[in-house]
Amino acid sequence: MGKKHLSGQKALVTGANSGIGATVAKELAKAGAAVAVNYVVNPEEAQRVVGEIKESGGEAMALRADVSNEDHVQMMFREMFTRFGTIDILINNAGIQRDAPFAEMSLDYWNTVISVNLTGQFLCAREAVKEFLRRGVVPDVSCAAGKIICMSSVHEVIPWTNHANYAASKGGVMMLMKSMAQELAPRRIRVNSICPGAIKTPINVSARSTPEAEKALLKFIPYGRIGETDDIGRVAVWLASDDADYITGASLFVDGGMTLYPGFSTGG
Ligand code: NAD
């Protein structure tokens, strides 16, 4: 086998002790990256991900930080630089839902979701970009000075009843991502989003907890299956690699066709 896609690269994945983040962390490690596994709760889950990576011969460490807290984020990056030296790939994955009908949505629900899903992505991206700008391109490692992948959602474009805070946060991620991509492309920094559809993780257990709920969900997915975290993990590795070097400012929908307006599939 030739050189692994991401060998010699250092990656940080936020919210990597669960769901999509855990799989992305393991896939990046499989592709040769050393991976920092961020978590805020459940340290044992973060250690499990680190353990699995190490057992397969990879390099990983767990780093605790609340991505919505500026001091935590800055400490996490300092620790990353002490242990790994630098960062090449940031996966801005941490995200939450706090759902409520619009008229009943508390300011606390609104602020909590915006703080983690949008401000958290800003805070982590800013620290990564400072390091990308300081270090520049290292041609033996990657064509780019750095890569950021924002975990957005189909809800950056699909409105969502009872989830105004979540949809607004992901719409915000889209313009954060595109504005960063525009500003930083001349410095050879690539910024893109992955927009998952419905992927089986703890975030959406209730949406598929009964056969009826699963059937209702499948109506929104022309491809006829609910996504697996591997569907996202493989795309993240590719998008972070030099194979995707000419891609920046893109929202890549990985959704089995959920954004194809399936309601119109019978002619409208
Ligand atoms: P998940 O609940 O399994 O994972 C979310 C992770 O974020 C967890 O590890 C959680 O501890 C972490 N997190 C939450 N708040 C944090 C904070 N303040 N600081 C650090 N970490 C924090 O859910 P998931 O489905 O794997 O979600 C991952 C990302 O994918 C989220 O951004 C979510 O919006 C997005 N997404 C998921 C789906 C889906 O169908 N699962 C669809 C679209 C988008």
Side-chain angles (χ1 to χ4, degrees):
M1 204 174 117
K3 188 174 172 259
K4 286 186 178 177
H5 265 59
L6 302 179
S7 56
Q9 302 202 37
K10 317 292 180 195
L12 169 63
V13 184
T14 65
N17 60 340
S18 175
I20 290 171
T23 298
V24 169
K26 287 185 264 184
E27 289 293 322
L28 293 173
K30 236 194 262 172
V35 182
V37 172
N38 161 256
Y39 69 97
V40 66
V41 290
N42 303 332
E44 64 292 346
E45 289 298 302
Q47 287 307 338
R48 183 182 52 76
V49 175
V50 168
E52 285 179 34
I53 291 173
K54 287 184 169 168
E55 270 165 36
S56 328
E59 192 182 346
M61 64 172 164
L63 290 179
R64 187 181 178 280
D66 172 348
V67 295
S68 67
N69 180 307
E70 187 174 27
D71 290 341
H72 283 205
V73 169
Q74 290 180 339
M75 264 161 44
M76 172 170 69
F77 275 82
R78 276 200 295 276
E79 180 70 9
M80 165 116 190
F81 300 151
T82 303
R83 306 265 299 271
F84 281 178
T86 190
I87 183 168
D88 303 284
I89 299 163
L90 168 66
I91 312 286
N92 253 338
N93 168 78
I96 53 168
Q97 285 181 214
R98 295 285 184 275
D99 313 331
F102 187 72
E104 290 159 34
M105 186 171 285
S106 65
L107 180 60
D108 178 52
Y109 267 26
W110 174 266
N111 282 337
T112 304
V113 169
I114 298 293
S115 298
V116 175
N117 294 12
L118 182 55
T119 308
Q121 294 220 10
F122 157 69
L123 289 172
C124 292
R126 190 181 57 176
E127 297 312 304
V129 166
K130 284 184 205 165
E131 172 64 5
F132 297 159
L133 292 174
R134 183 200 66 76
R135 191 202 56 229
V137 176
V138 180
D140 282 350
V141 174
S142 173
C143 310
K147 284 88 52 150
I148 297 176
I149 297 175
C150 302
M151 207 54 74
S152 184
S153 166
V154 289
H155 294 294
E156 72 169 43
V157 293
I158 302 179
W160 205 9
T161 293
N162 296 340
H163 301 74
N165 49 359
Y166 183 84
S169 74
K170 297 300 186 179
V173 165
M174 176 177 68
M175 288 311 288
L176 171 67
M177 178 278 286
K178 286 181 188 286
S179 300
M180 284 195 292
Q182 187 187 62
E183 180 173 336
L184 298 166
R187 308 300 295 269
R188 284 285 184 123
I189 295 168
R190 296 196 294 112
V191 191
N192 293 288
S193 287
I194 293 176
C195 302
I199 309 295
K200 288 180 194 163
T201 74
I203 212 172
N204 55 16
V205 172
S206 62
R208 52 188 172 76
S209 54
T210 62
E212 296 74 40
E214 187 156 332
K215 204 171 155 202
L217 183 57
L218 282 169
K219 277 197 189 147
F220 295 110
I221 309 172
Y223 205 61
R225 70 170 173 87
I226 299 173
E228 304 287 342
T229 57
D230 284 346
D231 290 310
I232 306 297
R234 286 189 295 270
V235 171
V237 168
W238 172 76
L239 195 53
S241 78
D242 284 352
D243 285 349
D245 188 53
Y246 208 46
I247 301 179
T248 194
S251 288
L252 190 49
F253 289 85
V254 184
D255 67 352
M258 195 178 250
T259 38
L260 296 174
Y261 298 96
F264 282 81
S265 61
T266 51

